[in-house]
């Protein structure tokens, strides 16, 4: 992230000089005050200049669209792209008729696009920005499905007292299973295997005997 650092008799003067060098208005700038400075004794002796760091605001909306729109065009997908920029995160939602090609098998294409989009966004950012990419509310629906599945299988494990190993899942989906069952009575969960074939195991857990 490119920035300019300026020194001035006041914070305002330093900022103004930085804005002029960047050729932008204050509304388009991110400003960090390094040192507010001081006037010194009687406003004359021992004074310290102000120091500021200024850079152009990052247009995350444009970055996201510049990355995704060519992908959509190449795949022949038409849809609405909704980008919500927060302080430390960006939510990107796509609404389109044919979303299967963007989601892929078990959400693999969706996860890959989210990963690549995160790299592009954070390359331009001075801090880490979490990027959440969703298509047709797939993630929300998938989360509900996995929560129901986890409870159903946990109930089966308790009845049979036999462990159940789920199909391979990505880290996001495994976290949903673990979180859903973390307080479920008489079961515990853990993961086995290596990526991308890592799986969740739901195991029966006996309650400790009361002494």
């Amino acid at each position: 992230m490119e920035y300019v650092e300026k020194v001035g008799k006041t914070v305002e003067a330093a900022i103004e000089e930085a804005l002029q060098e960047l050729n932008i208005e204050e509304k388009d700038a991110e400003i960090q005050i390094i040192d507010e400075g001081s006037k010194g004794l009687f406003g004359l002796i021992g004074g310290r200049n102000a120091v500021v760091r200024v850079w152009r605001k990052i247009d995350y909306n444009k970055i996201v669209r510049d990355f995704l729109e060519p992908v959509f065009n190449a795949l022949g997908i038409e849809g609405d792209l909704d980008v919500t920029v927060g302080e430390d995160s960006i939510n990107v939602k796509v609404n389109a008729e044919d979303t299967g090609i963007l989601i892929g098998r078990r959400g693999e294409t969706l996860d890959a696009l989210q990963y690549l989009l995160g790299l592009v966004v954070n390359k331009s950012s001075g801090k880490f920005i979490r990027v959440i990419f969703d298509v047709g509310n797939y993630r929300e629906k998938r989360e509900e499905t996995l929560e129901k599945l986890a409870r159903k299988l946990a109930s089966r494990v308790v009845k049979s007292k036999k462990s159940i190993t789920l199909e391979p899942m990505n880290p996001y989906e495994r976290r949903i299973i673990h979180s859903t069952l973390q307080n479920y009575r008489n079961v515990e969960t853990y993961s086995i295997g290596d990526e991308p074939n890592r799986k969740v195991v739901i195991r029966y857990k006996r309650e400790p005997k009361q002494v």
Side-chain angles (χ1 to χ4, degrees), residues 67-87:
F67 173 77
L68 288 177
E69 287 178 354
V71 175
F72 294 171
N73 291 335
L75 296 174
I77 294 175
E78 294 184 4
D80 296 324
L81 189 59
D82 181 30
V83 182
T84 303
V85 180
E87 184 175 346

Side-chain angles (χ1 to χ4, degrees), residues 106 108 165-171 174 190-201:
R106 295 204 306 263
E108 291 175 352
T165 302
L166 281 67
E167 65 179 8
M169 294 180 179
N170 61 43
R174 294 199 304 272
Y190 60 94
S191 297
I192 59 172
D194 300 319
E195 301 290 2
N197 296 311
R198 197 159 170 77
K199 307 172 184 178
V200 173
V201 177

Side-chain angles (χ1 to χ4, degrees), residues 138-151:
Y138 170 82
R139 294 196 186 279
E140 182 179 345
K141 295 174 184 176
R142 180 64 171 163
E143 183 171 340
E144 291 175 357
T145 298
L146 289 173
E147 288 174 349
K148 291 178 181 178
L149 176 66
R151 288 189 287 267

Side-chain angles (χ1 to χ4, degrees), residues 88-101:
D88 298 307
S89 65
I90 298 176
N91 281 272
V92 183
K93 293 185 178 181
V94 179
N95 293 307
E97 291 186 3
D98 184 16
T99 58
I101 193 171

Side-chain angles (χ1 to χ4, degrees), residues 109-177:
T109 304
L110 186 65
D111 289 337
L113 286 171
Q114 176 174 282
Y115 174 74
L116 292 173
L117 184 57
L119 291 179
V120 172
V121 166
N122 281 285
K123 182 179 179 181
S124 303
S125 176
K127 61 180 179 179
F128 176 74
I129 302 292
R130 183 180 179 220
V131 176
I132 303 169
F133 180 52
D134 198 5
V135 176
N137 290 325
Y138 170 82
R139 294 196 186 279
E140 182 179 345
K141 295 174 184 176
R142 180 64 171 163
E143 183 171 340
E144 291 175 357
T145 298
L146 289 173
E147 288 174 349
K148 291 178 181 178
L149 176 66
R151 288 189 287 267
K152 178 181 178 180
L153 294 180
S155 178
R156 188 183 300 174
V157 167
V158 171
K159 289 180 181 179
S160 68
K161 296 182 175 57
K162 294 182 179 179
S163 299
I164 292 178
T165 302
L166 281 67
E167 65 179 8
M169 294 180 179
N170 61 43
Y172 166 75
E173 294 183 334
R174 294 199 304 272
R175 280 195 296 271
I176 294 173
I177 301 295

Side-chain angles (χ1 to χ4, degrees), residues 12-69:
E12 291 75 15
I15 291 174
E16 182 60 31
E17 187 175 348
L19 294 175
Q20 289 180 4
E21 181 169 327
L22 291 171
N23 195 28
I24 59 175
E25 297 182 12
E26 189 168 346
K27 64 181 179 64
D28 299 317
E30 295 281 357
I31 300 171
Q32 179 184 8
I33 300 175
I34 307 298
D35 190 335
E36 293 185 352
S38 64
K39 292 183 178 180
L41 184 63
F42 305 121
L44 298 171
I45 303 173
R48 192 173 70 251
N49 285 333
V51 182
V52 301
R53 184 174 294 170
V54 180
W55 59 92
R56 190 186 304 272
K57 277 185 179 177
I58 300 171
D59 189 346
Y60 290 111
N61 194 304
K62 185 176 185 301
I63 291 173
V64 169
R65 292 178 184 277
D66 285 349
F67 173 77
L68 288 177
E69 287 178 354

